[in-house]
Amino acid sequence: NAGVTQTPKFQVLKTGQSMTLQCAQDMNHNSMYWYRQDPGMGLRLIYYSASEGTTDKGEVPNGYNVSRLNKREFSLRLESAAPSQTSVYFCASNTDRVGNQPQHFGDGTRLSIL
Amino acid sequence: AQSVSQHNHHVILSEAASLELGCNYSYGGTVNLFWYVQYPGQHLQLLLKYFSGDPLVKGIKGFEAEFIKSKFSFNLRKPSVQWSDTAEYFCAVNPPIYNQGGKLIFGQGTELSVKP
């Protein structure tokens, strides 16, 4: 059971470089989410996609873009990485669109921006 | 601003001690409430959830939580902790349903360290 798969697991970038974080789920879930986790701040929602073909901003969208490529895949792109984007990034998915089911999380991507 | 607050940032307990972690939220209306746990180096896993009905909900590994609507609280409890409960615990709220896409708002997290 793969669940939610994130790649890569670790990445180091230089300021100004671009990168795409990949996320795929094999549970036929409708909704997908990207969070960042920083010490003392919990998880903060960057972007989400309630269904295939739609994306919406979360709490901290600045500096990021997303693409819901199909029902399975939801990618997060950093166009010009900044040190403030050093964080652990989690992708999650949910079978429904209104929060009546728990989210399922991937293992995370640890990203360092130098 | 509407938010989710966890009062304790780091809790240290000895094995067999009782645990209570506080969570308060500031959203009005009907909310769905969750507690997630993150063991060291792992992803978040669901401990328990509350949608409606009995305000005392039981989860995995002996955890339970009580929803008190008048206090906007959803505190997590366990009568006797074990060393294996060492982890970070997150309270999360699904805000009232108006095209919110099932998103969650998380508290800051509470790191629990259990001494053997």
Side-chain angles (χ1 to χ4, degrees):
Chain A
N1 292 337
V4 179
T5 303
Q6 292 183 233
T7 54
K9 295 191 184 305
F10 303 94
Q11 185 70 46
V12 179
L13 294 177
K14 294 181 180 179
T15 298
Q17 287 185 313
S18 61
M19 167 154 197
T20 299
L21 307 185
Q22 306 289 350
C23 175
Q25 52 89 9
D26 62 0
M27 296 173 283
N28 201 35
H29 284 176
N30 292 301
S31 303
M32 298 185 73
Y33 313 85
W34 275 106
Y35 296 89
R36 59 176 290 173
Q37 183 182 22
D38 302 292
M41 303 189 76
L43 277 77
R44 292 179 293 168
L45 182 66
I46 304 171
Y47 271 93
Y48 65 104
S49 170
S51 60
E52 185 179 355
T54 69
T55 61
D56 287 284
K57 295 178 181 179
E59 303 169 83
V60 289
N62 291 345
Y64 304 95
N65 286 302
V66 290
S67 295
R68 184 74 183 267
L69 305 169
N70 48 55
K71 193 170 185 179
R72 288 187 64 247
E73 298 171 290
F74 188 40
S75 62
L76 178 72
R77 183 162 177 83
L78 287 70
E79 289 292 351
S80 178
S84 61
Q85 294 178 304
T86 292
S87 187
V88 181
Y89 291 85
F90 286 98
C91 178
S93 69
N94 194 330
T95 186
D96 73 14
R97 301 181 180 85
V98 295
N100 289 335
Q101 297 296 328
Q103 295 183 10
H104 297 256
F105 287 82
D107 289 336
T109 295
R110 189 173 296 274
L111 184 61
S112 295
I113 316 295
L114 305 177
Chain B
Q2 296 182 312
S3 66
V4 180
S5 297
Q6 292 180 239
H7 316 299
N8 314 100
H9 296 297
H10 192 187
V11 173
I12 302 173
L13 296 173
S14 297
E15 275 194 317
S18 63
L19 171 72
E20 180 160 3
L21 302 182
C23 174
N24 285 88
Y25 61 94
S26 61
Y27 299 91
T30 301
V31 295
N32 295 330
L33 299 157
F34 305 82
W35 275 97
Y36 283 85
V37 60
Q38 184 179 31
Y39 298 105
Q42 296 187 25
H43 61 264
L44 276 73
Q45 303 171 42
L46 180 70
L47 265 182
L48 47 78
K49 61 184 185 290
Y50 173 79
F51 294 154
S52 63
D54 187 344
L56 184 63
V57 292
K58 295 190 184 297
I60 61 172
K61 305 185 179 185
F63 285 91
E64 63 179 32
E66 184 175 14
F67 169 56
I68 303 180
K69 188 174 182 179
S70 61
K71 295 185 177 180
F72 294 86
S73 71
F74 189 54
N75 292 353
L76 181 71
R77 301 195 291 247
K78 186 171 184 178
S80 176
V81 295
Q82 301 173 320
W83 177 78
S84 58
D85 293 324
T86 294
E88 190 158 16
Y89 293 81
F90 293 94
C91 179
V93 174
N94 170 237
I97 300 170
Y98 42 90
N99 199 30
Q100 292 293 317
K103 66 181 184 183
L104 292 177
I105 306 299
F106 282 84
Q108 305 93 318
T110 297
E111 185 178 348
L112 172 65
S113 299
V114 180
K115 298 184 294 184

